[in-house]
Amino acid sequence: MERKNAWNTYDTETEQRLFEIAEQYRQFISDCKTERECVKRTVEMAREAGYISLEEALEGGKRLAPGDKVYAVHKKKLAVLFQLGTEPMEKGMNILGAHIDSPRLDLKQNPLYEDGEMALLDTHYYGGIKKYQWAAIPLALHGVAVKKDGTVIEISVGERPEDPVLGISDLLIHLSGEQLQKKAAVVVEGENLNIIAGSRPIRESDEKEKKERIRRGVMELLKEQYGMEEEDFLSAELEAVPAGSARDFGLDRSMIMGYGQDDRICAFTSLLAQLEADRPAKTAVCLLTDKEEIGSMGATGMQSRYFENVVAEVMDLAGQYSELSLRRCLQNSHMLSSDVSAAFDPNYASAFEKKNIAYLGRGMVFNKYTGSRGKSGSNDACAEYIGQLRRVMDEAGVNWQTAELGKVDQGGGGTIAYITANYGMDVIDSGVALLNMHSPWEVSSKADIYEAYRGYGAFLRAEW
């Protein structure tokens, strides 16, 4: 049952639209490299599309009606968008759920120190990474520092052409005999992912004050440019990410290489589909959540009760809330857990089973199950639901494929699907296949981006 290459189905007009969507996406992931940046851009796009905030609706005593659009933000790192359908919410919603966190290096709370005539920043890596991939590449620093009086300092350095970049050193090949004998997991160890931040000592009028002049010089720059004191690191969220914009990839410009495509590729296409939804029968929902890369824990992760709470708020504003109606709404809902899948890589063919893997350019991907080895930690979607999705996608002319993450005993991974499935709703993993997943620079097909956008739109229009 080999699926066709989506590029072979396009005419000139469709290709033009495809490249427009791909360019919007390339700009999105170039500008939005943290959860906060993604949420900020999401709110801007939502308001342009006529959405109002949940707070505005509550304060104004607005009664929500079919077609009304409302969004909610939680702690600046999670966003949910609703467009009310013509059917009662008790009959269920159509939910697109993606995550906007990505693997990265977080600065520790006490990160700055001096050693070997250099100022360095201690990090703690976030999510699953191959640590050696983060050495000897240019890094940018994004995030916020919050002062004791509540002032929020926004920091972004390393993205503009005139900005300096940061980085982690690697051992020169001439002295790497011992290093090259190590297993890949410990070639660079977590505690050695220390970012070089400077090497110029601060000028001192007092010759007796010579201690850690390079570290103090870096701190003086942060104070001058951002008004930041060293103690402000204690209440900061600063993330080191690959510096630079996403780029067209391939001589034919058929792909995109960029940081954070897991899972902002699905977040963007889900968001675009949500913003273009037009008075759907089922209430359309786009859920952009945090912390998936570390188990969806915490107040902004899918394991929290926030999504359930905000659905209750929206139902109440629509005059449809009761505890029983909320339970029915969640159980009767259908969801695409919008997350990426592994693409076949001919350079590492032995890791894949060719009949059950995704290929770049063959459209959006459905993963009936993820998990690891014996489907551990998997949602494993119902066959009846998959049958319904086949109809929805085929009737909309969407190019799609099915896949597993790789060979059965090779490894595996998880998504937020199993969490929302706890409500009893139908959920399946669906997204875009990537090369280099979880590396600093991931690769996707523009055709797959376009088909995901089309597929998510068809899903939001679906009636079950």
Side-chain angles (χ1 to χ4, degrees):
M1 294 185 290
E2 186 172 309
R3 312 301 290 187
K4 59 190 174 185
N5 190 305
W7 289 101
N8 294 327
T9 69
Y10 301 144
D11 56 23
T12 302
E13 184 178 343
T14 303
E15 277 199 359
Q16 182 176 349
R17 176 61 175 158
L18 179 155
F19 285 116
E20 289 173 358
I21 297 293
E23 179 58 21
Q24 291 178 43
Y25 167 67
R26 191 190 67 78
Q27 290 289 343
F28 181 87
I29 60 170
S30 296
D31 296 340
C32 304
K33 291 190 174 181
T34 69
E35 310 91 314
R36 290 173 181 266
E37 290 168 350
C38 287
V39 167
K40 184 177 180 181
R41 180 63 59 84
T42 294
V43 170
E44 291 170 357
M45 294 171 67
R47 296 194 74 87
E48 287 177 6
Y51 281 73
I52 64 169
S53 72
L54 179 62
E55 289 76 15
E56 289 174 296
L58 289 168
E59 290 171 6
K62 181 176 177 60
R63 181 67 171 248
L64 297 180
D68 283 347
K69 305 172 183 178
V70 64
Y71 70 88
V73 170
H74 190 47
K75 301 187 183 299
K76 301 181 180 180
K77 293 191 284 187
L78 182 156
V80 195
L81 289 76
F82 297 83
Q83 182 176 166
L84 267 68
T86 54
E87 292 185 1
M89 292 182 69
E90 184 176 305
K91 293 189 176 180
M93 306 172 290
N94 287 345
I95 306 167
L96 298 171
H99 67 91
I100 50 177
D101 61 315
S102 295
R104 60 179 188 257
L105 305 179
D106 289 340
L107 295 198
K108 292 184 178 181
Q109 285 187 282
N110 185 22
L112 184 60
Y113 68 101
E114 182 177 325
D115 192 11
E117 302 295 322
M118 288 184 287
L120 299 104
L121 295 164
D122 260 330
T123 70
H124 193 136
Y125 63 91
Y126 173 98
I129 65 170
K130 293 180 178 178
K131 295 184 284 291
Y132 64 81
Q133 292 180 333
W134 290 75
I137 66 170
L139 298 175
L141 203 60
H142 292 241
V144 297
V146 181
K147 301 182 80 67
K148 286 188 289 187
D149 64 2
T151 302
V152 178
I153 304 167
E154 294 189 0
I155 296 172
S156 177
V157 59
E159 299 294 353
R160 297 173 300 177
E162 64 271 23
D163 281 355
V165 294
L166 308 176
I168 298 165
S169 59
D170 194 7
L171 187 61
L172 64 161
I173 187 65
H174 310 74
L175 301 179
S176 297
E178 183 178 329
Q179 182 194 45
L180 293 174
Q181 301 307 310
K182 295 181 178 180
K183 291 184 177 180
V186 293
V187 167
V188 177
E189 298 187 33
E191 284 295 345
N192 293 332
L193 291 171
N194 305 313
I195 296 171
I196 298 172
S199 65
R200 186 176 65 182
I202 191 173
R203 290 183 179 178
E204 294 284 7
S205 57
D206 185 352
E207 282 298 315
K208 295 179 181 179
E209 189 63 55
K210 293 183 177 181
K211 187 178 179 182
E212 295 193 320
R213 291 171 60 189
I214 297 171
R215 180 191 67 79
R216 289 190 290 117
V218 168
M219 204 59 246
E220 191 69 26
L221 285 171
L222 290 173
K223 183 176 181 179
E224 179 184 317
Q225 295 180 22
Y226 298 104
M228 183 178 173
E229 304 287 348
E230 186 165 5
E231 199 173 85
D232 295 331
F233 278 120
L234 297 175
S235 50
E237 290 178 356
L238 294 171
E239 305 174 9
V241 298
S245 298
R247 303 285 297 274
D248 281 351
F249 189 74
L251 295 176
D252 57 2
R253 297 182 180 270
S254 62
M255 295 166 282
I256 288 176
M257 171 179 270
Y259 164 70
Q261 299 201 66
D262 178 6
D263 182 41
R264 294 174 191 138
I265 195 168
C266 297
F268 174 81
T269 46
S270 295
L271 175 60
L272 206 57
Q274 174 77 21
L275 298 180
E276 294 181 3
D278 184 22
R279 292 184 64 85
K282 299 282 187 181
T283 292
V285 180
C286 178
L287 167 61
L288 305 180
T289 187
D290 182 25
K291 298 290 191 292
E292 190 276 343
E293 297 294 358
I294 57 171
S296 295
M297 306 295 184
T300 55
M302 199 63 230
Q303 302 256 26
S304 77
R305 299 291 290 272
Y306 181 75
F307 178 63
E308 180 182 333
N309 294 343
V310 79
V311 171
E313 293 275 16
V314 171
M315 291 185 75
D316 191 54
L317 286 172
Q320 300 180 32
Y321 175 76
S322 72
E323 182 64 19
L324 182 57
S325 293
L326 173 62
R327 298 296 148 203
R328 287 173 176 168
C329 172
L330 293 168
Q331 180 168 297
N332 291 333
S333 291
H334 295 79
M335 179 175 174
L336 295 185
S337 172
S338 306
D339 210 337
V340 295
S341 190
F344 177 74
D345 188 337
N347 285 327
Y348 303 96
S350 62
F352 306 100
E353 197 267 282
K354 287 189 174 183
K355 301 190 307 302
N356 289 288
I357 193 63
Y359 291 82
L360 291 186
R362 292 188 183 178
M364 67 184 298
V365 185
F366 289 98
N367 290 80
K368 185 180 189 296
Y369 43 81
T370 52
S372 59
R373 296 175 176 85
K375 299 187 181 180
S376 176
S378 173
N379 164 57
D380 207 348
C382 294
E384 289 84 355
Y385 182 38
I386 298 173
Q388 291 173 316
L389 285 170
R390 288 173 57 199
R391 170 185 57 80
V392 169
M393 298 300 155
D394 287 349
E395 287 179 355
V398 175
N399 291 289
W400 59 276
Q401 54 185 318
T402 59
E404 296 184 7
L405 282 180
K407 284 186 176 179
V408 173
D409 284 331
Q410 197 73 23
T415 67
I416 64 172
Y418 75 97
I419 303 168
T420 51
N422 289 335
Y423 291 115
M425 68 175 72
D426 277 316
V427 187
I428 190 172
D429 287 300
S430 167
V432 177
L434 297 180
L435 292 176
N436 306 346
M437 193 192 300
H438 278 219
S439 76
W441 298 102
E442 299 165 315
V443 175
S444 61
S445 165
K446 292 181 179 181
D448 298 338
I449 295 167
Y450 181 63
E451 294 302 329
Y453 152 73
R454 295 182 64 237
Y456 293 152
F459 172 79
L460 292 179
R461 296 188 298 271
E463 300 183 46
W464 313 96

